[in-house]
Amino acid sequence: MRNSSIVSKLDEKTQAIHVENHVNPALDDLDTIELTQTGKFSWFISLVAAIGGMLFGYDTGIISAVLVYLYDDLGHELSPGEKELITSISSGAAFFGAIIAGLTADRFGRKGAIYAGCVLFILGAVLQAAAYSLAQMTVGRLVVGLGVGSAAMIVPLYIAEVAPAKYRGRMIGLDNMSITGGQLVNYGIGAALASVAHGWRAMVAIGAVPAIVLLCLLPFCPESPRQLIYHDKPEEAATVIRRIFPNGTDLQVQQKVEHISAHVQEMKTAHAGKSKFWQLKQLYVIPSNLRALIAGCGLMAISQLGGFNSLMYYSSTLFGIVGFQNPVAVGTIIAGTNFVFTWVNLMLVDRIGRRRILILTMPGMALFLALAAICFHWIPVRHDLTLIDTKVGWPANVVLVCMVFYVAFYSSGMGNTAWLSSELFPMEVRALSTMMLTCTCWGSNVIVASTFLTQMENTTPSGAFGFYAAICFFGWIAVYFCYPEVKGMTLEDIREIFQHGFGVQRARELQAEAKLKKKGILQEKGSQELKV
């Protein structure tokens, strides 16, 4: 029986679910602090860490404008293949940056990888701004990519570990807001500097600003409580937990430390004397881990291969192809739509749930990509992607409208929900699993960035966008069968659902149990108030 002081502090907005079965069920009673009202400190941590998302957003947003205004500043006009090189090299480097961050995240903590990402991004921005050759530009893009990959891998993981369960979706969503906000700002910068001679140099140099800001603010953020306990610092972890849950009692804080410690100790026991390769292998040889990995990485792959990043990297090029005279300004419309509907996702993800949002939005993505593919049939484009007639006709306008609706469905659904998948993984493999999740992102990015223009040439724009529509449609079917609902569940509890296949049905059962549990707690609260 919980005492009345605990019940009186219930947050009536949402209740966290606790259904841990693989460890002692009594652990559930050690986590009542999750039921109390949280403070502002966890929001501050999430906002600061989310600035790291701007590194990702800046890179994807600014390269679209840079490709349009490079001209012969690198010694010659770039061919489509060279444009694909400087675009995809960043994604390729991010792939390896994510691997490095994932392999070191448990040993050196979550914040170390964020610091490294900031330093690398600043260095890469300087190299790009000072580039007068394709080689130097490529190196600059490579260094930036290492920083972006490190930050992109670790930021959602860090936020997930410091966020209260009931707000975790929205707090990780702040990282997505930062990504899309960075893209929007950078499209605006690209449009503003379009008429400035060599303005692209300023565009890439400004990218160092969010990295510098994050470097200055990060010292005010603590390490993740789970990482502090992992490194045998329970007192520091208790201090952080007390700041995250200011309305919790000292007993509840200590119980939360014990709750996390039990899972950490189980992880340490399982990993004692084991190599990183052995730990990585556990992602594949343990069925529940593999199913979680397939669900998370599968959704991430669909989100990257479904056409969105080709639009972000090459939107200015694409809208120039269909005849718009100021393609960067037109691309700003896409970035603005992306930002607004990312906010929509942020507001709804913890209320409606991850799975329901995906089921509702993915068909819309496929529909508008298919409509765009049909409209491209009436746009007179040569094999080398130059227009036969430069007049902007109705098909080009319809393509723009289709892209706006496609981005709206993407940003309110899959685009942001995919990054929440780090919450699916148990702690003993969470860093490595999130590494694989991020590698899936950047690996898919490399495929899109290095093939989009070539695919447009060889299969026609209609073929390319029809291909993306098919990925979204079949991805929707996969989500229906393989992606469970986990809203409101603590990280220690989520692992249980993947012990029952992909857990879609088991998750429904747990959601029903959660409603009954909430009803019982409220009835208990009411009866205690009557006694008083």
Side-chain angles (χ1 to χ4, degrees), residues 226-242:
R226 290 168 175 84
Q227 275 297 294
L228 290 171
I229 291 173
Y230 179 81
H231 290 284
D232 300 319
K233 299 177 180 179
E235 295 82 6
E236 293 182 32
T239 300
V240 175
I241 292 170
R242 188 173 289 105

Side-chain angles (χ1 to χ4, degrees), residues 122-270:
I122 294 169
L123 177 60
V126 172
L127 287 171
Q128 289 180 86
Y132 284 91
S133 67
L134 177 62
Q136 183 175 340
M137 186 68 174
T138 302
V139 171
R141 295 283 298 157
L142 187 147
V143 173
V144 162
L146 290 172
V148 170
S150 177
M153 181 267 162
I154 213 71
V155 167
L157 174 61
Y158 175 59
I159 295 176
E161 291 190 342
V162 299
K166 53 178 162 276
Y167 296 129
R168 188 174 59 247
R170 273 171 275 184
M171 288 184 176
I172 297 177
L174 291 173
D175 181 48
N176 298 320
M177 283 290 292
S178 185
I179 292 172
T180 57
Q183 291 167 342
L184 176 60
V185 169
N186 292 315
Y187 270 97
I189 292 173
L193 296 176
S195 59
V196 177
H198 312 295
W200 67 269
R201 298 187 185 278
M203 296 178 197
V204 295
I206 293 172
V209 173
I212 294 171
V213 172
L214 182 55
L215 276 177
C216 294
L217 292 177
L218 200 56
F220 297 99
C221 298
E223 184 55 86
S224 153
R226 290 168 175 84
Q227 275 297 294
L228 290 171
I229 291 173
Y230 179 81
H231 290 284
D232 300 319
K233 299 177 180 179
E235 295 82 6
E236 293 182 32
T239 300
V240 175
I241 292 170
R242 188 173 289 105
R243 297 186 70 183
I244 293 173
F245 299 97
N247 293 306
T249 65
D250 289 341
L251 175 60
Q252 286 177 306
V253 171
Q254 186 57 41
Q255 287 176 335
K256 181 67 173 178
V257 172
E258 293 174 11
H259 185 250
I260 297 174
S261 297
H263 294 278
V264 170
Q265 186 56 48
E266 181 190 30
M267 178 190 72
K268 285 186 174 182
T269 301

Side-chain angles (χ1 to χ4, degrees), residues 337-356:
T337 303
N338 188 26
F339 178 76
V340 170
F341 282 90
T342 297
W343 179 82
V344 171
N345 177 275
L346 180 69
M347 293 296 102
L348 296 179
V349 67
D350 282 327
R351 299 176 184 178
I352 296 178
R354 289 79 158 136
R355 174 182 167 83
R356 185 177 297 174

Side-chain angles (χ1 to χ4, degrees), residues 316-327 330 379 381 387 389-393 396:
S316 298
T317 303
L318 177 65
F319 291 126
I321 289 172
V322 299
F324 290 101
Q325 297 302 308
N326 192 345
V330 176
I379 298 176
V381 180
L387 279 174
D389 182 2
T390 58
K391 181 181 178 180
V392 177

Side-chain angles (χ1 to χ4, degrees), residues 17-22 160 165 168-169 172 226 259 263 288-289 292 295 354 420-427 430 483-503 506-507 510-511:
I17 307 169
H18 301 278
V19 289
E20 188 67 73
N21 291 326
H22 76 288
R168 188 174 59 247
I172 297 177
R226 290 168 175 84
H259 185 250
H263 294 278
S288 59
N289 289 347
R354 289 79 158 136
L420 300 182
S421 297
S422 59
E423 67 187 358
L424 300 180
F425 311 123
M427 182 174 179
R430 188 175 300 141
Y483 201 90
E485 181 56 72
V486 296
K487 70 170 183 176
M489 298 174 68
T490 65
L491 294 177
E492 283 72 32
D493 295 340
I494 289 173
R495 65 189 298 162
E496 197 270 341
I497 62 174
F498 286 103
Q499 295 174 6
H500 303 265
F502 280 98
R506 179 58 177 161
L510 296 181
Q511 296 296 327

Side-chain angles (χ1 to χ4, degrees), residues 277-291 293-294 297 429 432-433 435-436 440:
F277 176 76
W278 181 91
Q279 295 176 36
L280 183 63
K281 190 168 66 173
Q282 303 315 296
L283 292 176
Y284 302 94
V285 299
I286 297 178
S288 59
N289 289 347
L290 179 60
R291 287 189 286 267
L293 193 69
I294 291 173
C297 292
V429 292
L432 292 176
S433 299
M435 176 194 78
M436 295 301 297
T440 301

